[in-house]
Amino acid sequence: MKMENNSVNAEILNDLIQISNDRVEGYQKAIEELHVEDADLKSLFVEMVRQSHRHKAALVKEVQVLGKEPESGTTTSGKIYRTWMDIKAIFTGHDRETVLNNCEFGEDAAQKAYKMALEEDGLSANLRSLISDQKTELKTSHDQIKSLRDKVS
């Protein structure tokens, strides 16, 4: 039974590692799309990238503790999200509102992934606590992005 839980826990953690990788790539892409006058967003997005790296490091450590191989890629939906961001940018330009809309879309996806992870059975108490703490941090990030988006729309 314990082995099975290790696999389930590692799988859940690996999904969240991929979400962290998606966030890093999404925000790095958003940084590239910003204009000079959006310096405030650049510093916020750099902080989001740092946050994702911190979360990922904690998740990777837990996967290794379980004796499993940590995920290194991004999710398929993340790749689809980035492609969608590319196509949308072609039609709408790289304005502040579009970038913030795309970032909020990504943050919504991260919230959903973390919520699903917490609903999984067999998640150990310490992992549930780690995931819950990261979800709370990500919710704060989501609300920051949403607030900025609301100001421009």
Side-chain angles (χ1 to χ4, degrees):
M1 185 65 195
K2 188 159 173 30
M3 269 316 272
E4 192 178 296
N5 273 359
N6 276 4
S7 294
V8 168
N9 286 338
E11 193 178 315
I12 293 165
L13 293 171
N14 273 323
D15 285 349
L16 298 178
I17 287 170
Q18 289 180 312
I19 293 291
S20 293
N21 291 341
D22 285 344
R23 271 185 100 230
V24 168
E25 285 195 29
Y27 279 111
Q28 284 172 337
K29 178 156 184 28
I31 288 167
E32 289 166 20
E33 291 182 3
L34 292 175
H35 295 289
V36 179
E37 62 272 15
D38 296 319
D40 61 322
L41 292 185
K42 183 177 181 185
S43 57
L44 175 65
F45 294 173
V46 166
E47 187 45 47
M48 300 292 186
V49 169
R50 275 196 206 110
Q51 180 187 58
S52 295
H53 283 302
R54 260 196 337 271
H55 287 177
K56 179 184 169 181
L59 296 166
V60 164
K61 191 175 130 212
E62 294 300 333
V63 172
Q64 290 166 335
V65 165
L66 294 170
K68 303 288 180 191
E69 197 60 40
E71 193 58 61
S72 60
T74 55
T75 61
T76 310
S77 62
K79 287 184 182 135
I80 290 167
Y81 160 59
R82 281 190 300 280
T83 304
W84 176 83
M85 210 169 159
D86 288 340
I87 292 166
K88 195 167 179 204
I90 291 166
F91 293 111
T92 58
H94 303 284
D95 64 279
R96 187 176 176 97
E97 187 177 355
T98 303
V99 171
L100 286 167
N101 274 331
N102 289 333
C103 291
E104 188 185 1
F105 179 82
E107 291 301 331
D108 286 342
Q111 279 298 306
K112 206 153 109 187
Y114 272 79
K115 182 178 183 288
M116 286 167 60
L118 288 169
E119 289 167 357
E120 285 287 333
D121 291 332
L123 199 59
S124 68
N126 72 313
L127 292 181
R128 187 170 298 282
S129 172
L130 171 72
I131 292 169
S132 183
D133 290 349
Q134 287 190 1
K135 183 180 185 301
T136 301
E137 260 192 74
L138 290 170
K139 177 74 174 115
T140 303
S141 299
H142 170 275
D143 294 347
Q144 274 182 289
I145 296 290
K146 186 178 179 346
S147 164
L148 285 166
R149 202 247 11 238
D150 290 346
K151 284 181 189 153
V152 292
S153 59

